Amino acid sequence: MRDKATPLESRLKRLITASGPIDLATYMSLCLGDPEHGYYTRHTPIGADGDFTTAPEVSQLFGELLGIWMLSVWQQSGCPSPFHLVELGPGRGTLMQDMARTIQSQPDAFAALHIHLVEISPTLRDQQAHRLESVKRPITWHDTIESLPEAPLFLIANEFFDCLPIHQWVRKGDSWHERVVGLDDNGNLAFGLGPVRALSAPSPDAETEDGAILEQSPASDAVMATLAHKLASHGGAGLFIDYGYAKPGYGDTLQAMRNHAYANPLAKPGEQDLTAHVNFSALAHAASSAIQTNPHGLTVSPAIKQGDFLLAMGLLERAGRLGAGKSAQEQEAIRDAVERLAAPDQMGSLFHCLAILPHHCPIPPLS
Ligand code: SAH
């Protein structure tokens, strides 16, 4: 028996019947961000009861190391006060809680700290407020990055860019066709090909075969350009972590997650997570172009693997300290968390880190 259509699915079918297939970016935006039926507006996505788990939920070590990184770049930037620490897509607030606890070890930094959370989900905002109640510093929520202060900003984003909408282009003959979502003969949502569209991408070459898929995320590039421009104007730094690829490539990376398992991206619109791998070379390009004129001497790092970043930041030493004096069982749990965060076959290689930071900054390994 077929599952009942979700409310958003019924609406999408009406929309497509009335005005034709929609592009993938529109489909993703509605599925994730629709104010009435979007996944992030209505669901509790993260954790054992949700659909997926993220690095800060695996271990406090992740947030603590990021807190140390942030503290160091803030000091290298001349300790601007207020210390505007901005998180994009803060989930349950766990990463910010761990970073703030680390920053608290430096009283001057903690006294200057002003937390900013850019979040679209009302449910997650409530969870963030609850989780950060014990952090006695001002917190401001923002709907978009546009309302962030015109001041030096210290930006962090973990698994944020992967939920911004993408377009996909499919090679057919000598041209690229946009991949669209339409209806099949039974009236169900189905992928199809739109008309040829001009795009600012390499024209099909010998490297690609018929059916090759090219992804672009103008929304991600625009967000990165805006953030980089803010940093170039006022100073600060940014650290962006996500699963994705460091060099441009071809392939379909759109994926849906429900109850910690992969699902069909066209099933249950609005009730499962939809993401795509992040194109770090496109993000780096957007950031570099936006900081060309930059009195604060900022630079864009190459994207490096999360495992390499965490190990260089002292993951093993910190894990050792955290485990000291703990039971064998607790030590085993810490070892498991370290594996999960840094092992190449787990999050260590697929996840990458990209930074915008002062070029004189001696902080390994992104400087
Ligand atoms: N950083 C967290 C959560 C990752 S899930 C962690 O690592 O655990 C993605 C987060 O981004 C959620 O908080 C989601 O609500 C938020 N989000 C998704 N799209 C957004 C958008 N367009 N603007 C602001 N926040 C967004």
Side-chain angles (χ1 to χ4, degrees), residues 203-260:
S203 46
D205 55 26
E207 249 188 81
T208 61
E209 295 174 348
D210 238 30
I213 292 184
L214 177 73
E215 297 183 338
Q216 288 184 327
S217 179
S220 300
D221 299 347
V223 168
M224 180 54 98
T226 305
L227 294 171
H229 185 72
K230 283 179 187 290
L231 296 182
S233 309
H234 305 287
L239 179 60
F240 309 97
I241 306 177
D242 234 301
Y243 63 108
Y245 43 101
K247 296 205 181 90
Y250 298 96
D252 174 12
T253 74
L254 179 71
Q255 68 182 37
M257 290 288 273
R258 185 152 31 107
N259 296 329
H260 299 266

Side-chain angles (χ1 to χ4, degrees), residues 39-52 54 57 87 89-97 117 119-135 139 141:
Y39 176 72
Y40 279 114
T41 17
R42 292 180 51 81
H43 290 260
T44 303
I46 308 156
D49 303 339
D51 294 307
F52 59 93
T54 56
E57 304 295 334
E87 186 173 357
R92 304 210 291 192
T94 310
L95 173 57
M96 186 51 82
Q97 186 186 33
L117 303 174
E119 176 58 70
I120 46 164
S121 160
T123 320
L124 288 175
R125 279 186 182 208
D126 287 347
Q127 290 190 19
Q128 291 151 17
H130 182 67
R131 183 58 65 90
L132 296 170
E133 228 164 31
S134 57
V135 180
I139 304 181
W141 274 268

Side-chain angles (χ1 to χ4, degrees), residues 32-33 40-41 45-46 52-57 62 87-95 118-121 124 128 142-145 157-165 273:
L32 295 177
Y40 279 114
T41 17
I46 308 156
F52 59 93
T53 299
T54 56
E57 304 295 334
F62 185 77
E87 186 173 357
L88 311 172
R92 304 210 291 192
T94 310
L95 173 57
V118 183
E119 176 58 70
I120 46 164
S121 160
L124 288 175
Q128 291 151 17
H142 301 261
D143 292 328
T144 72
I145 55 174
N158 185 59
E159 292 209 43
F160 169 74
F161 281 101
D162 66 351
C163 48
L164 298 187
D273 188 38

Side-chain angles (χ1 to χ4, degrees), residues 61-73 75 99 102 156 239 241 304-321 341-342 353 355 357 361-367:
L61 291 165
F62 185 77
E64 289 172 357
L65 293 173
L66 265 48
I68 293 172
W69 191 89
M70 279 299 169
L71 201 47
S72 312
V73 277
Q75 284 162 343
M99 292 205 315
T102 307
I156 178 81
L239 179 60
I241 306 177
I304 66 166
K305 292 178 181 161
Q306 171 171 304
D308 294 342
F309 175 72
L310 294 178
L311 290 171
M313 287 297 299
L315 177 65
L316 298 181
E317 297 76 359
R318 214 167 166 88
R321 278 207 297 280
L341 292 174
C353 312
L357 73 177
C361 219
I363 308 161
L366 288 163
S367 48

